[in-house]
Amino acid sequence: MKISVIGSGYVGLVTGACLAEIGHEVVCTDNDAEKIKILEAGGMPIYEPGLEKVIPKVHKEGRLSFRSNPADAVTFGEAIFICVGTPPLPNGDADLSAIDHVARLIATEARSPKLVVEKSTVPAQTGQELKRALSVYGRKTGVTFRVASNPEFLREGTALGDFLHPDRIVVGVEDEIAEQQLKEIYRPVLERKFKCPVHASGCLDGPAPAWVVTTINSAELIKHASNSFLALKISYANMVADLAERLGADIGEVTRAMGLDPRIGPSFLSAGLGFGGFCLPKDLQAFVHLAERSGVDFSLLREAEKINKKRIDHFFEKMRGALWVVRGKQIGVLGLAFKPNTDDIRFSPAIELVNRLISEGARVCAFDPEAMDRARAILPEIQYAKTAYEAAQDAEALLIATEWPEFGKLDWERIRNAMARPLILDGRNLLSASKMKAEGFEYRSFGRQD
Ligand code: UDX
Protein backbone atom coordinates (compact mmCIF):
# COMPACT_ATOMS: atom_id res chain seq x y z
CA MET A 1 0.00 0.00 0.00
CA LYS A 2 1.07 3.59 -0.51
CA ILE A 3 1.58 5.11 2.92
CA SER A 4 2.60 8.59 4.03
CA VAL A 5 4.11 9.36 7.39
CA ILE A 6 3.85 12.94 8.60
CA GLY A 7 6.43 13.73 11.27
CA SER A 8 9.86 12.11 11.04
CA GLY A 9 10.88 11.97 14.69
CA TYR A 10 11.49 8.74 16.61
CA VAL A 11 7.99 7.40 16.05
CA GLY A 12 7.63 8.57 12.44
CA LEU A 13 11.00 7.30 11.25
CA VAL A 14 10.62 3.91 12.92
CA THR A 15 7.07 3.57 11.58
CA GLY A 16 8.09 4.63 8.07
CA ALA A 17 11.17 2.42 7.97
CA CYS A 18 9.34 -0.66 9.30
CA LEU A 19 6.32 -0.20 7.03
CA ALA A 20 8.71 -0.01 4.07
CA GLU A 21 10.66 -3.02 5.37
CA ILE A 22 7.49 -5.16 5.41
CA GLY A 23 6.77 -4.24 1.81
CA HIS A 24 4.83 -0.97 1.61
CA GLU A 25 5.71 2.09 -0.43
CA VAL A 26 6.33 4.83 2.08
CA VAL A 27 6.95 8.57 1.99
CA CYS A 28 8.13 10.34 5.14
CA THR A 29 7.92 14.06 5.60
CA ASP A 30 8.67 16.61 8.29
CA ASN A 31 8.33 20.38 8.61
CA ASP A 32 12.00 20.48 9.64
CA ALA A 33 13.65 20.74 6.21
CA GLU A 34 17.08 20.15 7.72
CA LYS A 35 16.01 16.73 8.99
CA ILE A 36 14.76 15.72 5.54
CA LYS A 37 18.03 16.94 4.00
CA ILE A 38 20.03 14.75 6.39
CA LEU A 39 17.86 11.73 5.57
CA GLU A 40 18.09 12.30 1.83
CA ALA A 41 21.87 12.51 2.11
CA GLY A 42 21.91 9.09 3.82
CA GLY A 43 22.41 10.49 7.33
CA MET A 44 20.44 9.73 10.48
CA PRO A 45 18.95 12.62 12.49
CA ILE A 46 18.44 10.37 15.55
CA TYR A 47 20.13 7.37 17.13
CA GLU A 48 17.90 4.32 17.24
CA PRO A 49 19.62 0.93 16.97
CA GLY A 50 18.98 -0.74 13.60
CA LEU A 51 17.50 2.32 11.91
CA GLU A 52 20.86 3.18 10.34
CA LYS A 53 20.73 -0.17 8.50
CA VAL A 54 17.05 -0.36 7.60
CA ILE A 55 16.55 3.18 6.27
CA PRO A 56 19.37 3.12 3.67
CA LYS A 57 18.31 -0.39 2.62
CA VAL A 58 14.62 0.39 1.99
CA HIS A 59 15.57 3.76 0.52
CA LYS A 60 17.87 2.03 -1.97
CA GLU A 61 15.22 -0.56 -2.76
CA GLY A 62 12.88 2.32 -3.62
CA ARG A 63 10.25 1.70 -0.94
CA LEU A 64 11.07 4.67 1.29
CA SER A 65 11.53 8.24 0.19
CA PHE A 66 11.51 11.63 1.85
CA ARG A 67 9.68 14.83 0.99
CA SER A 68 10.35 18.25 2.38
CA ASN A 69 6.94 19.47 1.24
CA PRO A 70 4.30 17.82 3.48
CA ALA A 71 1.61 18.51 0.85
CA ASP A 72 3.38 16.04 -1.49
CA ALA A 73 3.16 13.39 1.21
CA VAL A 74 -0.57 14.03 1.62
CA THR A 75 -1.10 13.45 -2.09
CA PHE A 76 0.99 10.26 -2.09
CA GLY A 77 -0.53 7.97 0.54
CA GLU A 78 -3.80 6.03 0.64
CA ALA A 79 -3.12 5.89 4.36
CA ILE A 80 -1.54 8.79 6.23
CA PHE A 81 0.08 8.15 9.61
CA ILE A 82 0.24 11.23 11.83
CA CYS A 83 3.42 10.96 13.90
CA VAL A 84 3.93 14.57 14.97
CA GLY A 85 4.90 15.55 18.50
CA THR A 86 2.39 16.30 21.24
CA PRO A 87 4.71 18.01 23.76
CA PRO A 88 3.49 19.18 27.15
CA LEU A 89 2.08 22.69 27.53
CA PRO A 90 3.15 24.61 30.65
CA ASN A 91 -0.03 23.42 32.41
CA GLY A 92 0.75 19.77 31.62
CA ASP A 93 -1.87 19.32 28.90
CA ALA A 94 -0.73 17.84 25.59
CA ASP A 95 -0.10 20.50 22.93
CA LEU A 96 -2.18 19.33 19.99
CA SER A 97 -1.36 22.23 17.67
CA ALA A 98 0.82 20.07 15.40
CA ILE A 99 -2.04 17.56 15.01
CA ASP A 100 -4.41 20.42 14.21
CA HIS A 101 -1.98 21.79 11.64
CA VAL A 102 -1.61 18.39 9.95
CA ALA A 103 -5.39 17.88 9.94
CA ARG A 104 -5.85 21.13 8.03
CA LEU A 105 -3.07 20.25 5.65
CA ILE A 106 -4.57 16.85 4.87
CA ALA A 107 -8.06 18.33 4.54
CA THR A 108 -7.02 20.96 2.03
CA GLU A 109 -4.45 19.00 0.01
CA ALA A 110 -6.10 15.57 -0.33
CA ARG A 111 -7.76 14.83 -3.65
CA SER A 112 -8.54 11.13 -3.11
CA PRO A 113 -9.95 9.11 -0.17
CA LYS A 114 -7.59 8.84 2.77
CA LEU A 115 -7.32 6.73 5.87
CA VAL A 116 -5.93 9.12 8.48
CA VAL A 117 -4.22 7.25 11.30
CA GLU A 118 -3.30 8.88 14.61
CA LYS A 119 -0.07 7.37 15.88
CA SER A 120 1.00 10.22 18.11
CA THR A 121 -0.07 9.88 21.73
CA VAL A 122 -3.16 12.01 22.17
CA PRO A 123 -5.84 12.41 24.83
CA ALA A 124 -9.05 10.46 24.30
CA GLN A 125 -11.50 12.21 21.98
CA THR A 126 -8.76 13.75 19.83
CA GLY A 127 -9.91 11.45 17.01
CA GLN A 128 -13.32 13.11 17.11
CA GLU A 129 -11.71 16.54 16.80
CA LEU A 130 -9.52 15.29 14.00
CA LYS A 131 -12.57 14.01 12.15
CA ARG A 132 -14.31 17.33 12.60
CA ALA A 133 -11.29 19.31 11.38
CA LEU A 134 -10.99 17.08 8.30
CA SER A 135 -14.62 17.54 7.39
CA VAL A 136 -14.70 21.30 8.10
CA TYR A 137 -11.49 22.20 6.23
CA GLY A 138 -12.03 19.59 3.52
CA ARG A 139 -15.60 20.56 2.75
CA LYS A 140 -14.69 22.12 -0.60
CA THR A 141 -13.00 19.03 -2.02
CA GLY A 142 -15.61 16.42 -1.12
CA VAL A 143 -12.87 13.86 -0.33
CA THR A 144 -13.80 10.98 2.00
CA PHE A 145 -11.71 10.66 5.14
CA ARG A 146 -11.65 7.74 7.53
CA VAL A 147 -10.02 8.34 10.89
CA ALA A 148 -8.38 5.64 12.97
CA SER A 149 -6.28 5.52 16.11
CA ASN A 150 -3.33 3.14 16.12
CA PRO A 151 -1.27 4.00 19.20
CA GLU A 152 2.40 3.15 19.21
CA PHE A 153 3.98 1.20 22.04
CA LEU A 154 7.54 1.65 20.83
CA ARG A 155 10.30 1.91 23.39
CA GLU A 156 13.29 3.96 22.38
CA GLY A 157 16.31 1.72 21.97
CA THR A 158 14.24 -1.30 20.90
CA ALA A 159 11.71 0.49 18.73
CA LEU A 160 12.26 -1.54 15.54
CA GLY A 161 11.84 -4.85 17.36
CA ASP A 162 8.78 -3.46 19.15
CA PHE A 163 7.22 -2.46 15.84
CA LEU A 164 7.93 -5.74 14.09
CA HIS A 165 7.17 -8.08 17.01
CA PRO A 166 4.47 -6.33 19.04
CA ASP A 167 2.43 -8.05 21.76
CA ARG A 168 -0.64 -6.33 20.43
CA ILE A 169 -1.68 -4.03 17.62
CA VAL A 170 -4.48 -1.76 18.75
CA VAL A 171 -6.69 -0.20 16.10
CA GLY A 172 -9.46 2.18 17.02
CA VAL A 173 -11.82 2.43 14.07
CA GLU A 174 -15.34 3.46 13.15
CA ASP A 175 -16.05 1.00 10.36
CA GLU A 176 -15.03 -2.27 8.79
CA ILE A 177 -13.28 -0.59 5.83
CA ALA A 178 -10.82 1.21 8.09
CA GLU A 179 -10.19 -2.00 10.03
CA GLN A 180 -9.53 -3.95 6.85
CA GLN A 181 -7.16 -1.27 5.51
CA LEU A 182 -5.16 -1.37 8.73
CA LYS A 183 -5.16 -5.16 8.70
CA GLU A 184 -3.76 -5.04 5.18
CA ILE A 185 -1.03 -2.68 6.33
CA TYR A 186 -0.07 -4.90 9.28
CA ARG A 187 -0.65 -8.27 7.58
CA PRO A 188 3.07 -9.20 7.31
CA VAL A 189 3.51 -8.45 11.03
CA LEU A 190 0.34 -10.32 12.01
CA GLU A 191 1.26 -13.34 9.90
CA ARG A 192 4.97 -12.94 10.70
CA LYS A 193 5.81 -13.07 7.02
CA PHE A 194 8.77 -10.76 6.62
CA LYS A 195 12.49 -10.98 6.93
CA CYS A 196 13.43 -9.51 10.28
CA PRO A 197 16.17 -6.89 9.90
CA VAL A 198 16.82 -6.80 13.65
CA HIS A 199 17.28 -10.38 14.78
CA ALA A 200 19.35 -13.14 13.26
CA SER A 201 16.73 -15.88 13.72
CA GLY A 202 14.01 -17.24 15.96
CA CYS A 203 12.17 -13.96 16.44
CA LEU A 204 9.22 -14.99 14.30
CA ASP A 205 8.58 -18.23 16.20
CA GLY A 206 6.65 -16.73 19.12
CA PRO A 207 2.91 -16.17 19.33
CA ALA A 208 1.31 -13.87 16.76
CA PRO A 209 0.47 -10.38 17.99
CA ALA A 210 -3.05 -9.84 19.28
CA TRP A 211 -5.18 -7.81 16.87
CA VAL A 212 -7.27 -5.56 19.08
CA VAL A 213 -10.12 -3.67 17.45
CA THR A 214 -11.74 -0.95 19.54
CA THR A 215 -13.49 2.38 19.22
CA ILE A 216 -11.24 5.37 18.57
CA ASN A 217 -11.83 6.71 22.10
CA SER A 218 -10.82 3.38 23.65
CA ALA A 219 -7.66 3.12 21.54
CA GLU A 220 -6.61 6.59 22.66
CA LEU A 221 -7.34 5.74 26.27
CA ILE A 222 -5.40 2.45 26.03
CA LYS A 223 -2.20 4.33 25.21
CA HIS A 224 -2.45 6.86 28.04
CA ALA A 225 -3.64 4.24 30.52
CA SER A 226 -0.76 1.90 29.60
CA ASN A 227 1.99 4.48 29.92
CA SER A 228 0.54 5.85 33.15
CA PHE A 229 0.36 2.36 34.59
CA LEU A 230 4.02 1.77 33.74
CA ALA A 231 4.89 5.03 35.50
CA LEU A 232 2.84 3.94 38.49
CA LYS A 233 4.67 0.63 38.62
CA ILE A 234 8.07 2.34 38.64
CA SER A 235 7.07 4.76 41.40
CA TYR A 236 5.67 1.87 43.42
CA ALA A 237 8.96 -0.04 43.06
CA ASN A 238 10.84 3.08 44.11
CA MET A 239 8.80 3.43 47.29
CA VAL A 240 9.29 -0.24 48.10
CA ALA A 241 13.02 0.30 47.53
CA ASP A 242 13.08 3.13 50.08
CA LEU A 243 11.32 0.90 52.54
CA ALA A 244 13.62 -2.05 51.80
CA GLU A 245 16.60 0.17 52.49
CA ARG A 246 15.28 1.08 55.93
CA LEU A 247 14.07 -2.41 56.83
CA GLY A 248 17.21 -4.28 55.92
CA ALA A 249 15.77 -5.94 52.78
CA ASP A 250 17.07 -6.00 49.22
CA ILE A 251 14.85 -4.45 46.52
CA GLY A 252 16.29 -6.75 43.82
CA GLU A 253 15.24 -9.83 45.79
CA VAL A 254 11.83 -8.34 46.55
CA THR A 255 10.91 -7.30 43.00
CA ARG A 256 12.31 -10.50 41.48
CA ALA A 257 9.93 -12.56 43.60
CA MET A 258 7.04 -10.13 43.06
CA GLY A 259 7.56 -10.27 39.31
CA LEU A 260 7.22 -14.06 39.24
CA ASP A 261 3.54 -13.61 39.95
CA PRO A 262 2.03 -13.31 36.46
CA ARG A 263 -0.53 -10.88 37.83
CA ILE A 264 2.32 -8.48 38.58
CA GLY A 265 4.95 -9.32 35.96
CA PRO A 266 8.70 -8.67 36.21
CA SER A 267 9.15 -5.54 34.13
CA PHE A 268 9.12 -1.90 35.16
CA LEU A 269 9.99 -2.71 38.73
CA SER A 270 13.57 -1.43 38.60
CA ALA A 271 14.23 1.08 41.34
CA GLY A 272 16.51 4.05 40.90
CA LEU A 273 16.46 7.64 39.72
CA GLY A 274 12.97 7.23 38.31
CA PHE A 275 11.37 7.55 34.92
CA GLY A 276 12.16 10.17 32.30
CA GLY A 277 12.02 10.47 28.53
CA PHE A 278 9.58 12.17 26.27
CA CYS A 279 6.67 9.81 26.89
CA LEU A 280 6.10 8.59 30.42
CA PRO A 281 6.34 11.94 32.28
CA LYS A 282 4.30 13.87 29.73
CA ASP A 283 1.70 11.17 29.19
CA LEU A 284 1.22 10.83 32.92
CA GLN A 285 0.69 14.58 33.27
CA ALA A 286 -1.64 14.79 30.31
CA PHE A 287 -3.63 11.82 31.62
CA VAL A 288 -4.07 13.42 35.04
CA HIS A 289 -5.28 16.61 33.37
CA LEU A 290 -7.63 14.72 31.12
CA ALA A 291 -9.07 12.95 34.17
CA GLU A 292 -9.51 16.24 36.02
CA ARG A 293 -11.23 17.86 33.07
CA SER A 294 -13.50 14.85 32.89
CA GLY A 295 -14.40 15.14 36.57
CA VAL A 296 -12.36 12.14 37.71
CA ASP A 297 -9.97 12.59 40.64
CA PHE A 298 -6.92 10.55 39.60
CA SER A 299 -4.73 11.66 42.51
CA LEU A 300 -3.18 8.19 42.50
CA LEU A 301 -1.25 9.27 39.40
CA ARG A 302 -0.33 12.62 40.94
CA GLU A 303 1.36 10.68 43.73
CA ALA A 304 3.31 8.62 41.19
CA GLU A 305 4.50 11.87 39.63
CA LYS A 306 5.41 13.37 43.01
CA ILE A 307 7.38 10.27 44.01
CA ASN A 308 9.26 10.40 40.71
CA LYS A 309 10.19 14.05 41.16
CA LYS A 310 11.71 13.28 44.56
CA ARG A 311 14.10 10.60 43.29
CA ILE A 312 16.84 13.09 42.49
CA ASP A 313 16.52 14.70 45.97
CA HIS A 314 16.78 11.27 47.50
CA PHE A 315 19.89 10.47 45.46
CA PHE A 316 21.40 13.78 46.47
CA GLU A 317 20.85 13.02 50.12
CA LYS A 318 22.72 9.75 49.63
CA MET A 319 25.54 11.63 47.97
CA ARG A 320 25.68 14.24 50.69
CA GLY A 321 25.68 11.48 53.28
CA ALA A 322 28.77 9.99 51.69
CA LEU A 323 30.58 13.10 50.48
CA TRP A 324 29.53 15.58 53.16
CA VAL A 325 30.24 18.77 51.17
CA VAL A 326 29.43 18.75 47.45
CA ARG A 327 30.62 22.26 46.55
CA GLY A 328 33.95 22.32 44.76
CA LYS A 329 34.19 18.55 44.42
CA GLN A 330 35.04 16.79 41.17
CA ILE A 331 32.19 14.40 40.27
CA GLY A 332 32.17 11.88 37.42
CA VAL A 333 28.80 11.10 35.86
CA LEU A 334 28.22 7.99 33.75
CA GLY A 335 25.16 8.30 31.53
CA LEU A 336 23.17 11.28 30.28
CA ALA A 337 20.46 9.66 28.15
CA PHE A 338 17.10 9.04 29.84
CA LYS A 339 17.74 5.31 29.47
CA PRO A 340 20.31 3.09 27.72
CA ASN A 341 20.53 2.51 23.95
CA THR A 342 19.31 5.94 22.99
CA ASP A 343 20.78 9.40 22.53
CA ASP A 344 17.59 10.99 23.83
CA ILE A 345 18.08 13.34 26.77
CA ARG A 346 14.58 14.81 26.89
CA PHE A 347 13.34 14.82 30.49
CA SER A 348 16.32 12.68 31.40
CA PRO A 349 16.82 12.18 35.15
CA ALA A 350 20.56 12.14 34.42
CA ILE A 351 20.43 15.67 32.99
CA GLU A 352 18.42 16.86 35.97
CA LEU A 353 21.02 15.32 38.23
CA VAL A 354 23.85 17.13 36.44
CA ASN A 355 21.94 20.41 36.69
CA ARG A 356 21.59 19.87 40.43
CA LEU A 357 25.30 19.11 40.74
CA ILE A 358 26.14 22.34 38.91
CA SER A 359 23.78 24.39 41.04
CA GLU A 360 25.38 22.90 44.17
CA GLY A 361 28.80 23.99 42.94
CA ALA A 362 30.27 20.60 41.95
CA ARG A 363 32.69 20.23 39.03
CA VAL A 364 31.23 17.65 36.66
CA CYS A 365 32.84 15.46 34.04
CA ALA A 366 30.32 13.26 32.21
CA PHE A 367 30.41 10.42 29.74
CA ASP A 368 27.64 8.83 27.70
CA PRO A 369 28.17 6.50 24.73
CA GLU A 370 25.57 8.25 22.53
CA ALA A 371 24.03 11.30 24.17
CA MET A 372 26.98 13.69 24.58
CA ASP A 373 26.39 15.73 21.43
CA ARG A 374 22.84 16.45 22.46
CA ALA A 375 23.89 17.14 26.06
CA ARG A 376 26.59 19.62 24.99
CA ALA A 377 23.93 21.78 23.37
CA ILE A 378 22.05 22.28 26.65
CA LEU A 379 24.86 21.79 29.17
CA PRO A 380 27.91 23.55 27.75
CA GLU A 381 29.34 24.30 31.20
CA ILE A 382 30.45 20.78 32.16
CA GLN A 383 33.37 18.69 30.92
CA TYR A 384 32.75 15.74 28.62
CA ALA A 385 35.00 12.69 28.75
CA LYS A 386 35.92 10.42 25.87
CA THR A 387 35.61 7.32 28.04
CA ALA A 388 34.13 6.26 31.36
CA TYR A 389 37.70 6.07 32.69
CA GLU A 390 38.32 9.71 31.83
CA ALA A 391 35.08 10.70 33.61
CA ALA A 392 36.35 8.90 36.72
CA GLN A 393 39.73 10.67 36.66
CA ASP A 394 40.35 12.49 39.96
CA ALA A 395 36.68 12.20 40.87
CA GLU A 396 35.60 12.13 44.49
CA ALA A 397 32.50 10.24 43.45
CA LEU A 398 31.37 8.43 40.32
CA LEU A 399 27.62 8.55 39.69
CA ILE A 400 25.82 6.05 37.49
CA ALA A 401 22.83 7.88 36.04
CA THR A 402 21.95 5.65 33.06
CA GLU A 403 22.36 1.89 33.08
CA TRP A 404 24.23 1.44 29.79
CA PRO A 405 25.26 -2.26 29.77
CA GLU A 406 28.87 -1.31 29.02
CA PHE A 407 29.08 0.48 32.40
CA GLY A 408 28.54 -2.91 34.01
CA LYS A 409 31.68 -4.28 32.35
CA LEU A 410 34.26 -1.63 33.22
CA ASP A 411 37.72 -2.40 34.50
CA TRP A 412 37.04 -1.45 38.12
CA GLU A 413 40.64 -1.58 39.20
CA ARG A 414 41.45 1.03 36.58
CA ILE A 415 38.49 3.15 37.71
CA ARG A 416 39.51 2.86 41.35
CA ASN A 417 43.06 3.90 40.57
CA ALA A 418 41.84 6.88 38.54
CA MET A 419 39.54 8.23 41.25
CA ALA A 420 40.52 10.58 44.04
CA ARG A 421 38.18 8.66 46.32
CA PRO A 422 36.72 5.26 45.40
CA LEU A 423 33.06 6.16 45.93
CA ILE A 424 30.34 4.94 43.58
CA LEU A 425 26.75 6.11 43.73
CA ASP A 426 24.71 3.84 41.54
CA GLY A 427 21.47 5.61 40.59
CA ARG A 428 20.28 2.64 38.55
CA ASN A 429 21.25 -0.35 40.71
CA LEU A 430 23.36 -1.53 37.79
CA LEU A 431 26.20 -3.06 39.79
CA SER A 432 26.45 -5.74 42.44
CA ALA A 433 26.98 -4.25 45.89
CA SER A 434 29.10 -7.18 47.08
CA LYS A 435 31.27 -7.10 43.95
CA MET A 436 31.91 -3.39 44.25
CA LYS A 437 32.82 -3.80 47.91
CA ALA A 438 35.20 -6.60 46.96
CA GLU A 439 36.72 -4.27 44.34
CA GLY A 440 37.50 -1.82 47.12
CA PHE A 441 34.75 0.77 46.57
CA GLU A 442 32.42 2.57 48.89
CA TYR A 443 29.18 1.83 47.11
CA ARG A 444 25.65 3.29 47.49
CA SER A 445 22.55 2.37 45.53
CA PHE A 446 18.76 2.27 45.98
CA GLY A 447 16.90 -0.19 48.21
CA ARG A 448 19.90 -2.29 49.15
CA GLN A 449 22.12 -2.73 52.15
CA ASP A 450 25.25 -1.10 50.76
C1 UDX B 1 7.61 4.45 26.77
C2 UDX B 1 6.71 3.19 26.71
O1 UDX B 1 7.40 2.10 27.35
C3 UDX B 1 6.36 2.86 25.28
O2 UDX B 1 5.47 1.76 25.25
C4 UDX B 1 5.71 4.09 24.65
O3 UDX B 1 5.33 3.85 23.35
C5 UDX B 1 6.64 5.27 24.72
O4 UDX B 1 6.98 5.51 26.09
P1 UDX B 1 10.21 4.97 26.35
O5 UDX B 1 9.88 6.40 26.60
O6 UDX B 1 11.07 4.62 25.18
O7 UDX B 1 8.86 4.11 26.14
O8 UDX B 1 10.91 4.42 27.67
P2 UDX B 1 10.67 3.25 28.70
O9 UDX B 1 11.46 2.07 28.32
O10 UDX B 1 9.23 3.06 28.96
O11 UDX B 1 11.38 3.90 30.00
C6 UDX B 1 10.87 5.13 30.53
C7 UDX B 1 11.66 5.57 31.73
O12 UDX B 1 11.40 4.72 32.83
C8 UDX B 1 13.19 5.55 31.54
O13 UDX B 1 13.72 6.73 32.11
C9 UDX B 1 13.65 4.34 32.33
O14 UDX B 1 14.95 4.48 32.82
C10 UDX B 1 12.62 4.33 33.45
N1 UDX B 1 12.41 3.01 34.05
C11 UDX B 1 11.93 1.98 33.29
C12 UDX B 1 12.67 2.82 35.40
O15 UDX B 1 13.09 3.73 36.11
N2 UDX B 1 12.44 1.58 35.95
C13 UDX B 1 11.94 0.54 35.21
O16 UDX B 1 11.75 -0.54 35.78
C14 UDX B 1 11.70 0.74 33.84
Side-chain angles (χ1 to χ4, degrees):
M1 194 183 288
K2 282 187 168 175
I3 298 172
S4 302
V5 176
I6 301 187
S8 299
Y10 283 97
V11 174
L13 279 182
V14 171
T15 302
C18 289
L19 289 173
E21 178 66 39
I22 62 173
H24 299 292
E25 258 184 90
V26 182
V27 156
C28 283
T29 186
D30 200 283
N31 60 4
D32 179 351
E34 191 53 36
K35 202 182 268 178
I36 297 297
K37 226 188 262 168
I38 294 174
L39 287 160
E40 272 176 335
M44 220 37 67
I46 55 161
Y47 171 76
E48 176 62 37
L51 212 50
E52 74 293 348
K53 278 192 222 130
V54 176
I55 288 189
K57 174 179 165 269
V58 286
H59 188 45
K60 202 166 141 210
E61 290 167 359
R63 288 197 308 283
L64 177 66
S65 56
F66 305 101
R67 303 275 197 287
S68 50
N69 181 1
D72 291 349
V74 172
T75 315
F76 177 84
E78 289 164 63
I80 302 175
F81 280 74
I82 303 181
C83 299
V84 294
T86 51
L89 288 166
N91 72 355
D93 275 341
D95 180 354
L96 300 176
S97 53
I99 303 254
D100 177 52
H101 177 79
V102 171
R104 291 195 216 186
L105 179 84
I106 297 173
T108 49
E109 297 296 333
R111 295 292 175 269
S112 57
K114 305 283 177 194
L115 173 69
V116 180
V117 187
E118 279 172 4
K119 245 219 183 295
S120 309
T121 302
V122 290
Q125 298 184 336
T126 303
Q128 305 308 328
E129 295 296 340
L130 179 60
K131 233 174 80 180
R132 188 159 58 183
L134 289 168
S135 85
V136 170
Y137 296 107
R139 67 190 181 283
K140 291 187 188 144
T141 61
V143 165
T144 313
F145 295 107
R146 285 199 164 72
V147 170
S149 165
N150 170 220
E152 52 85 13
F153 301 103
L154 310 174
R155 290 162 301 172
E156 289 182 23
T158 54
L160 270 75
D162 290 345
F163 188 100
L164 295 166
H165 315 296
D167 312 308
R168 79 286 208 204
I169 298 174
V170 175
V171 293
V173 290
E174 290 194 316
D175 60 33
E176 183 104 355
I177 300 177
E179 184 197 335
Q180 286 314 319
Q181 277 179 297
L182 281 159
K183 203 166 212 174
E184 206 41 51
I185 292 171
Y186 282 108
R187 190 173 300 284
V189 174
L190 288 166
E191 295 177 356
R192 286 163 300 157
K193 284 194 179 129
F194 61 92
K195 194 166 177 302
C196 180
V198 185
H199 308 101
S201 65
C203 61
L204 300 172
D205 301 339
W211 178 250
V212 185
V213 183
T214 68
T215 62
I216 296 177
N217 281 341
S218 294
E220 290 165 338
L221 196 56
I222 287 167
K223 175 62 198 267
H224 261 151
S226 301
N227 270 7
S228 298
F229 188 74
L230 293 174
L232 200 61
K233 234 181 146 183
I234 298 169
S235 282
Y236 185 82
N238 278 327
M239 289 312 338
V240 177
D242 291 356
L243 199 55
E245 216 168 289
R246 284 170 182 70
L247 299 181
D250 181 304
I251 186 65
E253 290 176 356
V254 175
T255 50
R256 204 170 307 122
M258 282 171 66
L260 288 171
D261 182 335
R263 292 170 302 175
I264 297 175
S267 43
F268 279 69
L269 289 176
S270 299
L273 285 170
F275 57 84
F278 199 58
C279 292
L280 255 50
K282 94 172 159 68
D283 289 357
L284 184 67
Q285 254 189 29
F287 200 41
V288 170
H289 274 237
L290 179 69
E292 270 170 8
R293 271 206 316 280
S294 315
V296 174
D297 177 10
F298 218 149
S299 46
L300 175 69
L301 293 183
R302 280 225 181 277
E303 275 307 309
E305 201 180 1
K306 227 159 82 190
I307 291 166
N308 198 52
K309 285 199 174 124
K310 284 195 196 141
R311 296 317 286 168
I312 303 278
D313 293 342
H314 188 36
F315 194 60
F316 243 82
E317 284 319 306
K318 280 181 187 296
M319 187 168 73
R320 239 191 281 277
L323 265 185
W324 183 37
V325 173
V326 176
R327 180 165 298 280
K329 298 229 160 108
Q330 177 73 30
I331 310 287
V333 174
L334 298 186
L336 294 164
F338 83 95
K339 66 173 192 178
N341 299 316
T342 176
D343 64 347
D344 198 344
I345 54 167
R346 291 175 296 176
F347 301 100
S348 168
I351 297 288
E352 206 185 318
L353 181 65
V354 171
N355 275 323
R356 276 288 293 276
L357 287 166
I358 297 168
S359 70
E360 300 253 345
R363 286 176 292 130
V364 177
C365 183
F367 171 74
D368 186 286
E370 295 294 339
M372 288 199 290
D373 286 347
R374 288 189 192 271
R376 261 190 205 102
I378 58 159
L379 278 175
E381 60 271 61
I382 65 164
Q383 277 180 294
Y384 291 90
K386 288 195 188 68
T387 62
Y389 302 102
E390 203 181 306
Q393 192 62 47
D394 302 325
E396 308 231 14
L398 187 63
L399 275 45
I400 299 179
T402 315
E403 68 280 30
W404 282 92
E406 63 188 78
F407 296 158
K409 299 175 203 144
L410 293 169
D411 174 347
W412 292 109
E413 193 183 341
R414 192 171 155 199
I415 295 268
R416 198 185 59 238
N417 291 335
M419 292 180 73
R421 171 180 173 180
L423 168 63
I424 292 194
L425 289 130
D426 185 351
R428 292 291 177 185
N429 285 8
L430 175 70
L431 308 169
S432 141
S434 53
K435 180 169 182 248
M436 295 324 286
K437 205 172 159 199
E439 292 276 0
F441 286 96
E442 271 175 81
Y443 175 79
R444 308 277 158 101
S445 58
F446 282 107
R448 306 194 289 194
Q449 308 308 305
D450 304 324

